[in-house]
Amino acid sequence: MAIVELISPEVVKVPLAAGTKEDVLRELVLLLKDAGKITDTDGALDALRKREEMGSTGLESGIAVPHAKTDGVDRLTMAIGVSREGIDYDSLDGKPSRLFFLMLAPPNQTGPHLEALAEIAKLARSKEFCDVLMNASSSEEIVRLFRVD
Amino acid sequence: MDGPIEKMMVYIDGTEQSITAAQYSLCLTRLTGARLIALYVIDTKALEDLVKARIFLKEEQMDYERDLKEDSKRYLNHVRELAQRKGIQIETKSVMGRVHRELVREVKEEKIDLLIIGELSRIKSRRDEFYDETERAMRSVPCSVLIVKDEDRVWDLYESL
């Protein structure tokens, strides 16, 4: 499933208010809850925290991909957040993370979950595109960038 | 000379579209008498790529691979049941690797003359064109390709078998 099919302005936050790793997870999960995409907010947050405990999903170049399997969602769901200041996310290069792709999937939807994560992995390799996303001024602009690029 | 369709392959990826393709392929099997293989590809390449990208840990790779193997069993069983319900012979096959490469390899190896796939997602961005593994396979296989559309009509056709 293409990322563009998962995102709408309601699940994109620019800029994020969060200043810590815990806060950014909570902010994005609440965004998904408000968009009606999550049935169990605490369950989803717990699943994300457990995954982060195994090892940070903060990559290099300011990108983080928090993800988890959880019964707290009925279908594959995704939120995107952009932090202006950057957040200490225990990233691989030690630099603050600015662009967050948060993904939650029910345990029985491994195929689509994998497909969407693979697409993010490919996106993360395009520094130019990620820079454009990080400098977007609104959630609508982020969604538009996915549609035209 | 043999008929135009002697051996068909339907690609199953767990989507509703691929199940519709399976139903249509069963209709064609009844009509043509061709042999039919249902193929599921466990996308281990995507798992490896996610580990390389550091998005996945090794433990996750193994966990997701187990899930994909279970998915493959479940969906191929479902297709087998669809065939049995109509008294049609079908062979099922599950392989591991990169989807488009495995599809092309299997089509060649099995000497398939018609590949049947479900309706492709609508292209919503230019990126989609490069990322869709099924579309890549469709362009690369040496045989004819049939894209199955119209779920309701296909269901009626299948039910009337």
Side-chain angles (χ1 to χ4, degrees):
Chain A
M1 178 178 281
I3 290 176
V4 73
E5 289 178 41
L6 297 172
I7 59 166
S8 59
E10 295 76 43
V11 296
V12 179
K13 186 84 183 284
V14 182
L16 287 164
T20 65
K21 186 171 184 170
E22 171 64 23
D23 287 350
V24 75
L25 293 178
R26 182 174 293 277
E27 188 173 0
L28 288 174
V29 165
L30 288 177
L31 191 68
L32 288 171
K33 179 181 175 258
D34 291 344
K37 310 269 184 188
I38 290 187
T39 50
D40 176 6
T41 309
D42 290 338
L45 260 173
D46 279 349
L48 287 163
R49 286 190 196 113
K50 275 184 191 147
R51 170 59 187 84
E52 292 298 328
E53 280 167 17
M54 290 165 70
S56 176
T57 58
L59 310 178
E60 294 168 341
S61 309
I63 299 162
V65 190
H67 60 271
K69 287 190 280 190
T70 172
D71 290 319
V73 292
D74 292 331
R75 58 180 59 194
L76 178 64
T77 188
M78 180 181 175
I80 297 177
V82 176
S83 164
R84 291 279 176 247
E85 307 300 321
I87 293 165
D88 180 2
Y89 206 83
D90 304 320
S91 64
L92 286 171
D93 59 5
K95 291 181 181 163
S97 300
R98 290 188 55 204
L99 180 59
F100 296 85
F101 297 99
L102 182 142
M103 195 164 289
L104 294 166
N108 64 352
Q109 286 187 23
T110 308
H113 189 183
L114 196 61
E115 209 180 310
L117 284 171
E119 192 181 342
I120 291 174
K122 283 171 185 155
L123 283 180
R125 287 206 293 268
S126 169
K127 191 179 177 309
E128 190 186 306
F129 185 63
C130 290
D131 282 348
V132 175
L133 291 176
M134 284 181 206
N135 290 302
S137 56
S138 67
S139 50
E140 287 80 5
E141 189 182 346
I142 298 254
V143 174
R144 209 164 43 238
L145 284 163
F146 273 96
R147 289 192 197 284
V148 298
D149 194 71
Chain B
M1 188 185 163
D2 293 335
I5 310 173
E6 294 291 323
K7 201 173 181 185
M8 303 184 289
M9 177 173 277
V10 60
Y11 172 56
I12 306 297
D13 63 4
T15 60
E16 284 173 22
Q17 290 85 350
S18 73
I19 299 301
T20 299
Q23 290 165 343
Y24 197 76
S25 70
L26 292 167
C27 298
L28 282 181
T29 303
R30 173 66 53 84
L31 194 70
T32 62
R35 280 181 60 197
L36 178 62
I37 300 174
L39 179 78
Y40 189 103
V41 182
I42 296 166
D43 193 352
T44 48
K45 178 68 171 68
L47 291 171
E48 285 164 18
D49 287 348
L50 287 169
V51 174
K52 270 187 208 154
R54 310 281 191 97
I55 292 174
F56 266 8
L57 303 166
K58 270 280 173 195
E59 300 96 292
E60 277 182 300
Q61 181 186 18
M62 290 186 284
D63 179 33
Y64 278 69
E65 191 174 311
R66 265 194 306 273
D67 286 352
L68 288 176
K69 282 178 181 164
E70 285 305 311
D71 282 354
S72 119
K73 277 184 205 157
R74 193 168 68 244
Y75 291 118
L76 289 177
N77 277 342
H78 179 59
V79 171
R80 244 191 321 267
E81 281 165 18
L82 286 172
Q84 277 166 3
R85 212 178 292 159
K86 300 296 178 182
I88 295 169
Q89 288 287 321
I90 191 169
E91 190 184 321
T92 58
K93 201 168 181 181
S94 176
V95 295
M96 300 204 290
R98 186 170 193 160
V99 174
H100 80 272
R101 285 200 189 142
E102 290 306 312
L103 261 168
V104 173
R105 196 179 58 73
E106 287 292 331
V107 161
K108 286 179 182 169
E109 210 170 280
E110 293 285 353
K111 297 187 171 53
I112 297 297
D113 44 32
L114 183 67
L115 174 66
I116 301 168
I117 57 177
E119 189 172 0
L120 300 166
S121 313
R122 192 159 59 90
I123 297 290
K124 288 186 180 173
S125 79
R126 288 200 289 274
R127 286 179 184 279
D128 295 354
E129 294 176 69
F130 303 113
Y131 293 162
D132 195 304
E133 286 281 318
T134 316
E135 194 165 330
R136 289 182 76 175
M138 189 184 77
R139 292 178 198 283
S140 315
V141 289
C143 68
S144 300
V145 179
L146 178 69
I147 301 175
V148 179
K149 299 188 180 189
D150 197 346
E151 185 186 337
D152 293 341
R153 179 170 174 271
V154 172
W155 175 252
D156 288 343
L157 286 171
Y158 169 77
E159 281 297 290
S160 67
L161 282 177

